[in-house]
């Protein structure tokens, strides 16, 4: 067992599950989406992105691209949340929550692609 591969797979799966946990719930209900879960998803996604920088293969490049897409989507979701809650003074409205969750759902799609790449890469190693 390679500890580096375990940590790599753990970080990718944790990023995807945290992202799913934030997205899960009614899209326009602010009580179903907690800011700390979005923050945890951003931090773990950034860590997973940093771990992908060392891989110079084509699959590694796609891994890095999916992770960068997830990072951008989650950071935009956090910026929208900060803008609507603090700068615009609108608070946590259903429309703003729907925008935030939609951006996080885009990041979830990128994370799912990353998990599928990881599974495909793992299955290819067994042959």
């Amino acid at each position: 067992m390679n500890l580096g591969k375990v940590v790599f797979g753990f970080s990718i799966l944790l990023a995807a599950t945290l992202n799913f946990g934030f997205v899960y719930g009614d899209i326009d209900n602010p009580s179903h989406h907690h800011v700390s879960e979005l923050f945890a998803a951003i931090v773990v996604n950034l860590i997973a992105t940093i771990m992908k920088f060392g891989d110079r293969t084509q699959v590694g490049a796609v891994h890095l691209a999916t992770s960068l897409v997830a990072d951008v989507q989650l950071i935009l979701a956090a910026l929208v949340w900060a803008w609507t809650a603090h700068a615009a003074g609108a608070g946590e409205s259903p429309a703003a929550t729907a925008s935030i969750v939609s951006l996080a759902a885009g990041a979830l799609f990128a994370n799912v692609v990353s998990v599928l790449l990881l599974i495909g890469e793992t299955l290819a190693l067994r042959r």
Side-chain angles (χ1 to χ4, degrees), residues 23 27 49 55 62 73 77 82 85 98 102 104 110 126:
V23 170
I27 192 167
T49 301
D55 192 356
V62 177
Q73 296 262 330
S102 295
R126 291 280 179 180

Side-chain angles (χ1 to χ4, degrees), residues 13-92:
L13 287 174
L14 184 62
T17 55
L18 284 171
N19 199 342
F20 177 77
F22 177 75
V23 170
Y24 188 73
D26 290 339
I27 192 167
D28 61 347
N29 189 343
S31 66
H32 291 178
H33 312 283
H34 199 268
V35 69
S36 62
E37 199 162 8
L38 178 62
F39 178 73
I42 291 170
V43 169
V44 172
N45 265 291
L46 289 173
I47 291 170
T49 301
I50 291 169
M51 293 180 73
K52 293 173 184 175
F53 272 116
D55 192 356
R56 298 191 184 273
T57 64
Q58 180 63 32
V59 174
V62 177
H63 262 293
L64 181 60
T66 59
S67 193
L68 289 172
V69 167
D71 290 341
V72 168
Q73 296 262 330
L74 288 173
I75 290 170
L76 285 174
L79 290 174
V80 168
W81 195 318
W83 176 262
T84 58
H86 302 293
E92 295 179 355

Side-chain angles (χ1 to χ4, degrees), residues 78-113:
L79 290 174
V80 168
W81 195 318
W83 176 262
T84 58
H86 302 293
E92 295 179 355
S93 68
T97 302
S99 296
I100 294 163
V101 173
S102 295
L103 286 166
L108 177 62
F109 181 75
N111 278 329
V112 167
V113 170

